[in-house]
Amino acid sequence: MDRLKKIIIPVVFIGVLILSGCSKDNVEKNTQTPADPAQVKNNNKPSSLSPTNTQSPSQSVKLEAIKYTNEQLTQISELVEKEGLENVYLPKLAVEDNPLTNLEVRDNKLILQYKYMTLEQRKKIWDEVKDEQIKKVTLANGVTGEWINGKDYLPKNRFFRFQMNGMYFILDDYRNLSEEQVQIIAESFVSLDKLNNNFLLN
């Protein structure tokens, strides 16, 4: 009898261990959630709040054609002729809803005030700038220009200037556009004569 107990007890103990091990495996298997391929793929995507997906307001601003009136073009022509300014150019593109609101000639400079930017052009070279950061660029049309930045490099404290056909231009936008957008505006400049002729043809 004692011998039988010695045989039965280990067998029962081994059986209990096997059963407990199987039940543990079943519990672990049942508690594991199957991997979802979509979730795995999404986990590799940057969050919508990630800096790589963050778009500055200026990047979403749309550029569109500026609509000049016949009266505006005539007034500009009369002013520049009176002041002896030649090779006058005007931008064809700007941010949406950015009409020409005011114009004047002061100190032999044509100053055009738009809703969201100011354009100054003259025959005399620009004044030297001090304590500013200068970045030289070449536009798509081959014209060379300069970004004049303050020490903080903030868009609100910068302006773009370029030289074309004997005239010197300063373009200052108030929408804090990207450099690329401002340069596209500068590339859109056409002569006043061409604008006048196109207006007459239309």
Side-chain angles (χ1 to χ4, degrees):
M1 187 68 178
D2 291 338
R3 184 179 179 182
L4 185 60
K5 285 182 179 180
K6 289 180 180 180
I7 295 173
I8 291 174
I9 290 173
V11 170
V12 172
F13 181 72
I14 293 170
V16 170
L17 289 176
I18 293 173
L19 290 174
S20 64
C22 291
S23 61
K24 183 179 180 181
D25 289 342
N26 288 335
V27 170
E28 289 178 352
K29 288 180 181 178
N30 291 334
T31 55
Q32 288 179 351
T33 304
D36 184 352
Q39 288 181 347
V40 173
K41 186 176 181 181
N42 288 337
N43 287 339
N44 293 330
K45 285 184 177 182
S47 165
S48 60
L49 299 178
S50 170
T52 57
N53 282 356
T54 303
Q55 193 175 42
S56 66
S58 67
Q59 290 177 322
S60 61
V61 173
K62 180 182 177 182
L63 299 181
E64 63 180 25
I66 301 174
K67 296 179 180 178
Y68 297 100
T69 66
N70 187 30
E71 290 75 19
Q72 287 174 333
L73 296 178
T74 300
Q75 188 177 2
I76 295 172
S77 299
E78 292 175 350
L79 280 174
V80 298
E81 183 178 359
K82 182 179 179 181
E83 291 293 326
L85 292 173
E86 300 175 353
N87 302 327
V88 172
Y89 289 80
L90 302 179
K92 288 186 67 176
L93 293 177
V95 294
E96 52 189 339
D97 187 30
N98 192 23
L100 177 64
T101 58
N102 189 48
L103 56 104
E104 64 175 315
V105 172
R106 187 191 326 139
D107 300 327
N108 207 34
K109 295 181 292 187
L110 174 63
I111 302 171
L112 301 177
Q113 182 68 55
Y114 297 81
K115 186 175 180 180
Y116 296 119
M117 69 181 183
T118 299
L119 169 65
E120 175 189 303
Q121 52 187 298
R122 59 186 182 181
K123 293 189 292 185
K124 184 181 178 182
I125 193 171
W126 315 292
D127 299 329
E128 291 295 325
V129 293
K130 296 180 180 180
D131 300 324
E132 305 290 342
Q133 311 298 322
I134 300 177
K135 175 184 175 182
K136 296 181 181 295
V137 298
T138 301
L139 304 182
N141 55 10
V143 170
T144 57
E146 297 177 341
W147 280 101
I148 310 299
N149 290 279
K151 292 182 178 179
D152 53 14
Y153 278 92
L154 292 177
K156 66 178 182 179
N157 295 328
R158 73 178 185 197
F159 61 89
F160 184 65
R161 66 186 191 182
F162 61 98
Q163 187 270 340
M164 183 170 59
N165 200 13
M167 293 292 287
Y168 295 85
F169 303 84
I170 294 178
L171 186 57
D172 188 11
D173 88 276
Y174 309 146
R175 292 290 299 273
N176 298 334
L177 299 177
S178 66
E179 290 184 1
E180 180 183 5
Q181 287 174 309
V182 174
Q183 290 171 199
I184 290 174
I185 293 173
E187 291 164 0
S188 76
F189 276 49
V190 296
S191 67
L192 176 60
D193 291 338
K194 186 174 182 180
L195 279 175
N196 278 323
N197 290 336
N198 287 340
F199 198 98
L200 291 174
L201 290 174
N202 293 331

